[in-house]
Structures are given as C-alpha cells and as structure tokens.
C-alpha cells in the first residue's frame, strides 16, 4: 500500500506555482478590462472566470497536492480568483451603466417635436350624445329602433291621430317629397318610428329611437331645417304617467348627474292623452334661476329648460297600429337633441352643429 506523497517535487505542479497563478490572474484581468461591452464580457466569463477557466482548473488541482503545499497554493489561487471575480463584477457594473445610458440616448423621443399626423376627422358631438342617450335606455333594457328619413305621410301624421284636417298637421312645417301622389314627406319628427314599431312588434315594447328630422324652418342661431330628436315608446300592461316620469328622470340623472328631475306642464299632442310638455331642472342653477348673484345664463333665469313633449299614448294611436287599448297602455316622449347639446356644452349658435367644421367637433372627442 502506498502512503501519502510527502516529498513532492514542486516542479511537477508548476501550474500552481506563484508565477503561473499570477499569469492566469493577469490574463483574466487584462481580458476583463479589454471587454468593451456586455457581450464581450460574457465571453470573458467562460474563458477566464467560469468553471472551465484556467484558475478554476488550477483550483481543482489543489486537492492533489501534498498537505504541506495545499495551504500555500490554496491561498494563492483563492486570492487570484477573488481578484478576478471582483474585477469582473466591477467591469460588469460599468458596462451595464454604459449600456443603459446608450439605450436612453438611442431610444430618446423628443416629445416637443411638431405633430406630423393630422386626424382624418372627429366623431360628431350629436352622434356621441345620441349614443350616450341610447346607452342609458339600453341600460334600462330598452331596444333601439330606427326608421327612414323619407317617411310615408300616413305614418308621419295619420297613424298618430293627425288626420288630414287636423289643425295640428299644419303646425309642423313639412317638406313634401315629389311626386305628391306618393304621399311621402321628410319626417317632421321621430314619432312615426312609434307607429312602425307597434305595427311590427308585439307588446311589451320598450324602444328609444334617436334620429334626424326635418322642418321648413329658417336657418339661424336657434333654428335649423334639419335637427335631431329622440323618441321613446313603452307599451305594456298597466303603464302610467309615473313610469314615464321615472324613465325620464333616470335618463337625466344618467346624463347630468344626481338630483336632476323633470317638470310636466299640461299640453296637447294628438298622439298622447293626457299630454305634457316636459322641462328639466337647469343643471347650472338647479332651479333657482340665479347664478353669481345675477340671472342664470344657461336657463335665462327660468330655473328650467324645455325638453320636449310626452304623454300617455292615445288609444286611437294604439288602435291604428294594431294594439288593443283594453289590454295595453303606454307612454311616449320626444325631445330635441340639438338643444340639449347646446345647453350641456354651452353652444351659442345652432349653426355650429350643422356646418361640419372639424374645429367644432374635435374638442368633444376628449369627452369621457
Ligand atoms: N313629436 C313631437 C314633436 O316633434 C314630440 C312629442 C310629443 C313626441 C309628445 C311624443 C309625444 O312621443 O308623446 O313636437
């Protein structure tokens, strides 16, 4: 049996002598300092720092030395490896900082540069408000209905209890469509969609109908021959004026916030009985008519803003549209969207809504 190798020849393990270890260390340090980027440093790791580097291999040799030589060689190699590891980390930190700085410089965006892209257009504020109103009703479980802009005279008038001799028929200044024998009009209100809906669907009916309407009005700051309305129609069993009021108040609160409410004033419409004009409380002065110790500028001191008409659907309309008034009752309302937009956003001249100037529409695009 052989004993431990007690008298070794230091020449045989020259890889662990001082000069060799210093050479390995210096070669590693030189390579580390020569690495100019992180990719280069990564290569240095495998050739001079990692498990297969000369110093790591030398480290493994230590165990084969006789005991009296191990300590010396161990501390020599250990110090060399520590120096290399430290230099490596320091270089890595420097190169990482450099890489970060380079990235910030290369990916720099000058946010002050002028904008070179022009928007193609903007959604029209009337479209957005109509959709917002429609959304409120959809949220209540209603459906959205639409009808044609060129409408049958019968649906625009007769079905709604506005017979040929009815005095109210002349109240809506109508655009007639040629030839006269076709009996077509540009719809004067969205109410014919009520008739269309009852004729095509079975109750219960819960619909809202936003859309464009036409009258031979002057074109000025408060009138336009084309404008927009929203019609509402509910036909169900046991429907009353209270349901109407609740639906309208809910809509106004959704659009203008807490505390909004309506006021009904007795009125006349051929298609509803009883009928009412509906006003909404002014969302600026909340009904007081006062603002900054003067008259409220939004409602002109009234405290209320006129919205439109409403009422309980006239049984004659139900019959004309095939609904049994003994079983069903309903409410209807119709109001202008343009005026609502003008109040809501302080639009002073109605013509701005219709002129199609993108500078008018764009600011509404940021509405949340
Ligand atoms: N169609 C009416 C108008 O344009 C507004 C209206 C009034 C609609 C009463 C209704 C209603 O549905 O019940 O002046």
């Amino acid at each position: 049996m052989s004993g431990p190798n007690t008298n070794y020849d230091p020449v045989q393990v020259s890889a662990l002598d001082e000069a060799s270890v210093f050479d390995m260390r210096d070669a590693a340090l030189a390579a580390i300092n020569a690495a100019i980027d992180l990719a280069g440093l990564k290569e240095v790791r495998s050739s001079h720092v990692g498990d297969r580097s000369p110093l790591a291999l030398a480290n493994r040799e230590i165990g084969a030395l006789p005991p009296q030589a191990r300590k010396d060689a161990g501390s020599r190699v250990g110090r060399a490896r520590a120096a290399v590891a430290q230099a490596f980390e320091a270089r890595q930190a420097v190169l990482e900082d450099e890489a970060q700085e380079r990235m910030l410089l290369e990916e720099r965006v000058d946010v002050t540069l002028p904008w070179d892209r022009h928007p193609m257009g903007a959604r029209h504020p009337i479209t957005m408000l109509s959709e917002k109103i429609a959304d409120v009703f959809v949220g209540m479980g209603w459906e959205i209905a639409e009808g044609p802009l060129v409408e049958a005279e019968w649906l625009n008038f007769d079905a709604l209890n506005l017979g040929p001799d009815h005095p109210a028929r002349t109240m809506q200044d109508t655009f007639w469509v040629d030839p006269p024998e076709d009996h077509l009009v540009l719809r004067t209100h969205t109410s014919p969609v009520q008739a269309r809906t009852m004729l095509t669907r079975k109750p219960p009916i819960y619909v809202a109908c936003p859309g464009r309407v036409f009258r031979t009005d002057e074109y000025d700051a408060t009138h336009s021959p084309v404008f927009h309305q929203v019609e509402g129609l509910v036909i169900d069993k046991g429907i009353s004026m209270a349901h109407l009021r609740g639906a309208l108040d809910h809509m106004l609160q959704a659009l203008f916030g807490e505390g909004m409410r309506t006021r009904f004033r007795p009125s006349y419409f051929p298609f509803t009985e009883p009928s009412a004009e509906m006003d909404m409380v002014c969302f600026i002065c909340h009904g007081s008519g006062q603002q900054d110790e003067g008259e409220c500028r939004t409602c002109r001191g009234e405290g209320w803003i006129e919205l439109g008409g409403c009422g309980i659907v006239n049984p004659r309309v139900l019959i004309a549209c095939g609904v049994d008034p003994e079983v069903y009752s309903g409410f209807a309302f119709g109001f202008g969207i343009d005026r609502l937009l003008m109040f809501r956003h302080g639009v002073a001249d109605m013509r701005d809504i219709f002129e199609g100037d993108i500078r008018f529409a764009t600011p509404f695009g940021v509405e949340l």
Side-chain angles (χ1 to χ4, degrees):
M1 218 167 86
S2 60
N5 175 10
T6 48
N7 49 5
Y8 79 105
D9 177 359
V11 179
Q12 288 175 4
V13 281
S14 57
L16 290 171
D17 69 23
E18 199 160 14
S20 305
V21 171
F22 284 173
D23 278 353
M24 289 186 258
R25 182 197 64 188
D26 292 345
L29 292 178
I32 287 170
N33 284 328
I36 51 161
D37 55 21
L38 289 167
L41 195 64
K42 201 172 166 195
E43 275 169 31
V44 174
R45 174 190 280 281
S46 58
S47 49
H48 289 283
V49 189
D51 289 346
R52 313 202 132 266
S53 65
L55 274 173
L57 295 175
N59 197 46
R60 274 191 235 158
E61 296 295 315
I62 294 169
L65 290 176
Q68 64 269 45
R70 272 186 218 159
K71 197 170 161 223
D72 263 6
S75 81
R76 199 159 42 238
V77 174
R79 267 182 280 123
R81 294 191 81 198
V84 169
Q86 202 186 1
F88 184 88
E89 269 175 38
R91 186 76 187 139
Q92 184 164 20
V94 168
L95 291 177
E96 275 173 0
D97 281 354
E98 273 179 24
Q100 177 78 12
E101 239 163 76
R102 203 173 319 126
M103 194 178 76
L104 287 177
L105 217 66
E106 280 167 7
E107 297 181 8
R108 185 187 147 106
V109 176
D110 184 354
V111 293
T112 64
L113 278 177
W115 201 20
D116 66 347
R117 261 164 277 164
H118 295 285
M120 301 296 286
R123 303 200 67 214
H124 198 280
I126 286 287
T127 311
M128 293 199 297
L129 183 57
S130 302
E131 283 178 6
K132 219 174 173 120
I133 294 169
D135 275 354
V136 174
F137 288 106
V138 168
M140 291 196 281
W142 295 31
E143 289 173 87
I144 303 301
E146 282 183 344
L149 305 184
V150 177
E151 184 58 283
E153 176 189 1
W154 187 83
L155 289 164
N156 194 79
F157 293 122
D158 303 62
L160 300 170
N161 196 29
L162 272 153
D165 302 323
H166 200 293
R169 194 145 158 162
T170 50
M171 271 164 39
Q172 301 189 347
D173 301 315
T174 310
F175 282 111
W176 295 90
V177 178
D178 274 341
E181 58 274 20
D182 282 355
H183 298 283
L184 292 174
V185 298
L186 294 187
R187 68 180 183 192
T188 58
H189 50 180
T190 41
S191 301
V193 188
Q194 281 188 31
R196 288 182 167 271
T197 307
M198 284 187 270
L199 286 165
T200 51
R201 299 185 200 197
K202 293 224 163 315
I205 291 170
Y206 290 79
V207 291
C209 337
R212 204 172 298 165
V213 300
F214 308 84
R215 289 187 203 171
T216 58
D217 282 340
E218 289 299 321
Y219 187 47
D220 60 29
T222 50
H223 295 90
S224 162
V226 48
F227 52 103
H228 303 82
Q229 290 187 333
V230 178
E231 191 80 14
L233 174 73
V234 166
I235 305 287
D236 207 338
K237 290 177 181 161
I239 292 296
S240 74
M241 210 79 171
H243 296 116
L244 166 63
R245 190 87 186 265
L248 289 170
D249 284 1
H250 175 81
M251 179 199 72
L252 289 178
Q253 278 158 28
L255 290 178
F256 292 93
E258 292 275 308
M260 290 304 299
R261 62 205 152 86
T262 46
R263 172 176 80 171
F264 284 4
R265 285 177 286 119
S267 186
Y268 173 77
F269 294 98
F271 23 93
T272 39
E273 183 57 42
S275 301
E277 297 274 355
M278 52 188 176
D279 302 335
M280 61 182 256
V281 72
C282 172
F283 56 91
I284 297 294
C285 67
H286 299 280
S288 72
Q290 302 291 308
Q291 186 184 18
D292 305 334
E293 286 164 28
E295 194 176 75
C296 174
R297 287 185 291 279
T298 300
C299 62
R300 301 216 169 86
E302 289 290 318
W304 295 89
I305 294 167
E306 245 182 79
L307 260 192
C310 61
I312 293 294
V313 181
N314 192 319
R316 295 172 67 104
V317 174
L318 295 180
I319 291 167
C321 299
V323 175
D324 184 352
E326 298 297 324
V327 182
Y328 292 105
S329 58
F331 68 72
F333 60 81
F335 61 84
I337 302 180
D338 313 83
R339 267 170 54 81
L340 204 59
L341 182 83
M342 290 172 80
F343 280 117
R344 197 165 181 256
H345 297 281
V347 178
D349 191 324
M350 199 176 210
R351 286 170 290 201
D352 286 340
I353 296 178
F354 296 98
E355 248 140 51
D357 189 328
I358 196 162
R359 289 171 299 179
F360 171 71
T362 306
F364 290 85
V366 297
E367 188 183 38
L368 292 176

